[in-house]
Amino acid sequence: MEIDMKKVLVCEDEAAIRDFVVINLQRAGYEVVEADSGEAALKKYDENGGDFDVAILDVMLPGIDGFQVCKELRGKNGGLGIIMLSAKTQEMDKVTGLMLGADDYVSKPFSPSELLARVDSLHRRVSLAQANAENNFKEELHSGDFILNLRNRALLKNGETIELTQVEFQIMEYFFSNPGETLDRTDILRHVWGDAYVGEEKIVDVNIRRLRMKVEDEPSNPKYIVTVWGLGYKWDTNN
Ligand code: CA
């Protein structure tokens, strides 16, 4: 296994904000590659052989926007941690970004400690998943028509592969380990995002919505990921 380089790709067109992010990440021990546009970020991602744990992407950029960068990076690497930076007024953008495969978002303005908490938490999850993929003796979990492959983080439904992001994989792993049990949002948030997570529980719902689009026969009428009103969600394959 390679030495953990803790490498972060930062894409932000405003030099002052970019410098602020870069300096704080470097102080916290991250190796940072910076880009001032989406095009530059994609180029640098490839030039570095995709060797990143986390990418921080501003939404509003001069050329292609942060959502497009997110979509393309997610297409290249399902295990990359992606955090979107958005202005507070872009409420809808948060959801759009998360639907395109981002793992988290941070609203501007943000403090260095807030950003670092998010990056650290995501980085921990990404490394843990990488370590699990290398060390896991049990290679797959079975549940109904589904098989969750713990090595390549892929989900199979009736033999067909469903690509999952890091967060989606961890939610599915949690569901598969607790079939038929109601898991409340706080449990899911704590289990997947970690105790140190400072964001909102809404992020759980957004990821569940995205997962349903991938796993359900009819996403609007879910039968596998069932909502337990007022409580949370339940993984159910007995129907
Ligand atoms: Ca910007």
Side-chain angles (χ1 to χ4, degrees):
M1 191 186 169
E2 280 178 41
I3 296 166
D4 188 1
M5 292 297 288
K6 296 177 71 170
K7 208 160 158 185
V8 181
L9 177 63
V10 175
C11 178
E12 164 66 75
D13 57 314
E14 278 174 72
I17 301 177
R18 192 174 63 244
D19 289 348
F20 172 82
V21 170
V22 169
I23 287 167
N24 281 288
L25 286 171
Q26 285 172 338
R27 270 191 199 142
Y30 287 96
E31 185 186 343
V32 184
V33 172
E34 52 185 296
D36 60 5
S37 71
E39 289 83 351
L42 292 173
K43 191 158 168 263
K44 293 199 172 174
Y45 180 86
D46 288 339
E47 282 171 2
N48 283 270
D51 177 31
F52 292 96
D53 303 300
V54 176
I56 299 175
L57 310 173
D58 183 33
V59 171
M60 302 300 283
L61 295 167
I64 59 169
D65 67 13
F67 294 141
Q68 188 62 34
V69 181
C70 169
K71 205 173 149 193
E72 293 198 25
L73 289 180
R74 180 56 79 218
K76 292 171 192 277
N77 182 354
L80 178 72
I82 301 179
I83 297 175
M84 305 301 297
L85 294 183
S86 74
K88 270 227 183 316
T89 48
Q90 299 163 333
E91 198 64 31
M92 282 307 295
D93 294 349
K94 290 176 183 174
V95 177
T96 312
L98 293 171
M99 292 305 282
L100 287 173
D103 298 296
D104 203 353
Y105 59 84
V106 175
S107 299
K108 292 178 181 177
F110 50 84
S111 67
S113 59
E114 186 186 356
L115 181 69
L116 276 174
R118 302 295 187 86
V119 176
D120 285 343
S121 138
L122 195 50
H123 176 260
R124 246 194 325 275
R125 274 192 282 136
V126 170
S127 338
L128 194 70
Q130 284 164 356
N132 280 345
E134 284 169 24
N135 302 329
N136 235 314
F137 296 119
K138 205 169 178 185
E139 292 205 0
E140 43 190 43
L141 298 173
H142 292 247
S143 184
D145 298 332
F146 294 86
I147 297 171
L148 189 64
N149 187 310
L150 302 177
R151 254 178 215 285
N152 62 14
R153 300 184 328 271
L155 178 67
L156 292 176
K157 180 184 180 184
N158 295 317
E160 295 219 7
T161 303
I162 298 171
E163 296 282 345
L164 299 177
T165 68
Q166 200 58 60
V167 165
E168 291 165 356
F169 168 76
Q170 284 176 278
I171 295 175
M172 289 310 291
E173 192 183 18
Y174 194 35
F175 276 144
F176 272 51
S177 308
N178 300 280
E181 274 181 48
T182 300
L183 305 174
D184 70 37
R185 282 178 186 75
T186 315
D187 286 340
I188 298 174
L189 194 71
R190 209 172 284 150
H191 184 85
V192 175
W193 280 264
D195 285 330
Y197 186 75
V198 289
E200 305 154 45
E201 287 190 0
K202 205 166 54 183
I203 198 169
V204 173
D205 302 319
V206 176
N207 275 279
I208 292 288
R209 223 166 90 196
R210 200 165 64 194
L211 265 173
R212 278 177 170 157
M213 289 170 68
K214 297 186 175 185
V215 308
E216 297 287 349
D217 306 328
E218 284 176 78
S220 55
N221 182 24
K223 63 171 190 169
Y224 301 114
I225 302 176
V226 182
T227 300
V228 182
W229 290 108
L231 290 172
Y233 300 99
K234 181 171 81 170
W235 175 249
D236 191 356
T237 53
N238 300 316
N239 43 35

